[in-house]
Amino acid sequence: MYETYKSVNENPCNMCMPLGGIIAFKGIEKSMVLLHGSQGCATYMRRHIAEHYHEPIDVASSSLNEKGTVYGGEKNLIKALDNVVKVYNPDCIGILTTCLAETIGEDIDRIKSEYKASRNISIPIITAPTPGYGGTHSEGFVKTSYRIVEELSTNKERHDRINVIVPNISTADLREIKRLLELMKIPYILFPDYSDTLDSPFNFPYKKIPDGGTKISDVMSMGGSIATIEIGVNYEETPGKYLQDRFNVPLYKVPIPIGLRNTDVFLKLLKEITGNPIPKSIEMERSRLLDGMIDSHKYNFEGRCIIFGDPEMVYSVFTTCMENGIHPLLIATGSKAQRLKELVISEDNPLNVDITIIDETDFSHILKLSEEKEVNIAIGPSDGKYLTEKGGIPLVRLGFPILDRVGGQRILSVGYTGTLNFLDRITNTLLENKYKTYRKDMYEKYYKAM
């Protein structure tokens, strides 16, 4: 029997590169982002981000059409920049390219330079090449964060703060990381900080650019920090690497602090760098997590899971499952993720799990492998509802995007407290699924006539 191969993604496990770039720019104070491409690109990405965060999301567009595609889109981009300056009066503008702009070879750096000179504008205008075919939203977030730091970080005068560079995690996770830093009395620069800009309190009247974000002056001074802690271990060309190479800022890379081990690593590193002790209140949170792990492990050992999503999130969830007796049978991401494969393979495997790792994949392939491996729980963004609808596999929603539930931006999973919340959700999902069918399963296994 021959398998039919298709050169197409069916329900892809990722989104476009510029989408991640938009989120990174939203983490800069008083910034506005502009997509150089068709109007549809900006509309699609605004919709995705707005449905996840349930906030109004403004993304400008140069609205390239057929004429601009043939003769060049410089006039469109200049007009779009004029409109952004007039309507939003931002302190920073980000220009992200799309497939169309990159394919026709638009020189956005030249256009930017000539525009600033002709308009006598002093605010930073930061460009980032993010064509959809250049990577996923995960790579778009990292690439744009790199370009922001590369463009703005110019001050190498030493100060006593540390840089904490984050991947694409929830706004609740950002606030938890800041809470832990403040409990340890550590001065810091968190970048990019979209905890308020994408999850703002109710405001009236409406603000076109919400308050919050990493201050531009803070990004400028990142080259003078005593150290950089970069949360993320899957990418090489990162903002932290740039700061290390350009300004000799010591770089420490750690996984997202989900799980006991990963959170221990993060907090102990903070203590090692600064000399500040871990307060009793955080130690108590660790003890509560240990107690919760003991309470739930007798249920979790029945878990046979598929973990999918952004490489950084996938890796931290994988290690958390391993330390809680949940069997991670399938690891999947839409990104090209050789480093993720290496990290997973290098981990101890006390459960002796036969782990399959797939990258650049889609949910059609994920579902097929999940059914072959008899997976009984899925962990990842809401696009995985396909696994529930087609395969009956219950889904624990985590990461970005979560489009079919309210509160995706408020899901807390980092730190000891976040890990305990996350672990409870996994355990309760396993129990709910078990109690739905266990009477029928027991009857058919032991009593039904053959």
Side-chain angles (χ1 to χ4, degrees), residues 85-311:
V85 172
K86 179 180 178 180
V87 174
Y88 294 94
N89 189 28
D91 289 346
C92 174
I93 300 175
I95 302 175
L96 299 171
T97 58
T98 60
C99 300
L100 186 56
E102 288 291 329
T103 300
I104 65 175
E106 287 282 77
D107 187 353
I108 56 172
D109 287 319
R110 177 191 60 80
I111 298 171
K112 175 198 78 170
S113 299
E114 292 179 358
Y115 176 81
K116 290 187 70 173
S118 67
R119 299 298 194 270
N120 195 25
I121 289 177
S122 60
I123 65 170
I125 300 179
I126 303 166
T127 62
T130 53
Y133 51 73
T136 69
H137 64 286
S138 304
E139 286 81 57
F141 186 94
V142 175
K143 176 71 174 179
T144 303
S145 299
Y146 182 97
R147 286 289 296 122
I148 293 169
V149 170
E150 183 182 36
E151 187 80 17
L152 294 181
S153 296
T154 54
N155 187 354
K156 59 182 179 181
E157 183 178 344
R158 292 297 175 189
H159 52 82
D160 65 348
R161 291 183 289 179
I162 65 169
N163 303 319
V164 180
I165 299 175
V166 295
N168 183 10
I169 54 179
S170 77
T171 55
D173 288 339
L174 292 178
R175 287 191 285 270
E176 178 68 3
I177 288 170
K178 291 195 286 187
R179 184 184 73 90
L180 294 172
L181 291 164
E182 288 158 9
L183 282 173
M184 293 185 66
K185 296 181 170 57
I186 295 173
Y188 63 90
I189 298 171
L190 186 81
F191 168 82
D193 183 5
Y194 47 88
S195 59
D196 290 329
T197 57
L198 290 179
D199 189 19
S200 64
F202 175 75
N203 288 309
F204 186 83
Y206 167 70
K207 294 183 178 180
K208 293 176 182 176
I209 299 181
D211 295 333
T214 308
K215 295 180 183 299
I216 293 174
S217 59
D218 284 345
V219 182
M220 288 179 173
S221 64
M222 290 176 77
S225 296
I226 60 173
T228 297
I229 296 180
E230 193 159 60
I231 300 177
V233 291
N234 278 276
Y235 297 101
E236 297 296 328
E237 292 298 317
T238 62
K241 182 67 164 57
Y242 173 80
L243 293 170
Q244 183 185 53
D245 293 344
R246 178 71 175 82
F247 300 107
N248 296 315
V249 181
L251 173 62
Y252 304 88
K253 295 171 75 74
V254 298
I256 298 175
I258 301 174
L260 184 70
R261 187 190 75 180
N262 292 338
T263 306
D264 283 350
V265 167
F266 178 62
L267 293 173
K268 287 176 181 177
L269 180 57
L270 289 172
K271 180 181 177 181
E272 177 185 323
I273 293 171
T274 65
N276 294 8
I278 299 173
K280 181 69 174 177
S281 59
I282 295 179
E283 292 179 352
M284 290 290 288
E285 292 172 15
R286 186 181 191 274
S287 296
R288 290 191 191 97
L289 171 58
L290 281 169
D291 186 61
M293 292 169 68
I294 295 167
D295 293 342
S296 61
H297 87 277
K298 57 183 176 288
Y299 308 114
N300 290 336
F301 83 96
E302 294 182 338
R304 299 168 57 83
C305 73
I306 154 69
I307 306 166
F308 62 91
D310 295 356

